[in-house]
Amino acid sequence: MTRGDATPDPIARFRRWLRAAQRSGAPLHDAMALATATSDGVPSLRFVLLKQADARGFVFFTDARSRKGRELRGNAHAAATFHWNTMGRQVRIEGRVVELGDADADAYWVTRPRGSQLSGATSHQSDELARRALLTTRRNELARRYAGQAIPRPAEWRGFRIVPDAIEFWTHRDDRLHHRELFRRTPRGWRATLLEP
């Protein structure tokens, strides 16, 4: 175990590390690199923002029509990494993915700033775009249509949860002798092991 952090619950430890990253002023402390793959194993990677982390897993939202949304629906496994360089820490997560229901998506949608709602409702994420002006025009038209009204959540704007099977905590050490601790989910709970750097 990491000295001073002998938490047997990796989710609780992750939440502490995330709060520490936020307090430290780490930029985009909630950004995670999300890896997905097609049903035949072709990978892709991008950053998304973590919106919730609890005993059930790690939640993010996206347009399900996007490349990542299509891949998650076709291959419900993903990996994610958080990297806080100024703190010398990173966390890797691997697990299966479940799609959240309408109620979860609606509850988060109303917390988004209006500009983000407009952009989310305007974009057909990952589709080819002939000219950027077309996107701007669609957004302006949507803003006029819903002036003074709530912007409805697009049906395909969804939440996903990574239910972790493995969580690794990595801490920088000098001379590349980094400290790595891997938690694996077992039928009896989490099992922690150390890994060579």
Side-chain angles (χ1 to χ4, degrees):
M1 299 285 180
T2 305
R3 182 176 298 173
D5 198 1
T7 304
D9 176 1
I11 303 295
R13 182 183 297 181
F14 172 82
R15 288 166 59 97
R16 278 207 318 278
W17 279 28
L18 184 68
R19 285 192 304 271
Q22 182 179 22
R23 285 193 307 268
S24 78
L28 292 174
H29 69 279
D30 53 352
M32 63 181 186
L34 174 70
T36 58
T38 61
S39 57
D40 54 351
V42 178
S44 62
L45 180 70
R46 81 290 288 154
F47 281 90
V48 299
L49 297 180
L50 175 73
K51 294 302 175 183
Q52 183 179 345
D54 59 27
R56 296 170 298 171
F58 301 82
V59 173
F60 62 95
F61 292 84
T62 190
D63 187 328
R65 297 168 299 185
S66 67
R67 179 175 177 178
K68 60 185 166 298
R70 294 191 310 269
E71 289 176 354
L72 289 167
R73 284 178 165 176
N75 178 359
H77 293 86
T81 299
F82 294 83
H83 181 67
W84 304 296
N85 185 57
T86 57
M87 298 176 63
R89 288 178 169 176
Q90 69 179 4
V91 178
R92 288 191 323 105
I93 300 157
E94 298 172 2
R96 63 186 172 84
V97 176
V98 296
E99 187 170 337
L100 304 182
D102 288 336
D104 292 303
D106 288 339
Y108 177 64
W109 178 260
V110 299
T111 70
R112 288 170 62 94
R114 187 172 182 84
S116 295
Q117 289 179 342
L118 281 168
S119 296
T122 299
S123 175
H124 304 153
Q125 196 176 75
S126 299
D127 282 1
E128 289 188 10
L129 181 64
R131 293 186 324 278
R132 184 158 180 89
L134 296 174
L135 182 67
T136 305
T137 299
R138 282 201 318 259
R139 187 181 193 278
N140 292 341
E141 288 172 355
L142 193 70
R144 281 192 296 273
R145 186 183 327 153
Y146 290 104
Q149 303 175 54
I151 300 165
R153 175 185 61 85
E156 288 299 305
W157 198 88
R158 312 295 297 179
F160 293 87
R161 175 181 289 118
I162 303 174
V163 180
D165 297 317
I167 303 175
E168 180 190 331
F169 294 86
W170 179 98
T171 306
H172 172 82
R173 294 287 186 266
D174 290 340
D175 301 321
R176 303 196 65 80
L177 284 177
H178 309 308
H179 183 87
R180 296 177 63 193
E181 189 173 356
L182 176 65
F183 287 79
R184 287 198 183 278
R185 192 188 297 272
T186 74
R188 291 180 296 202
W190 291 99
R191 178 177 178 269
T193 56
L194 296 179
L195 301 177
E196 299 260 358

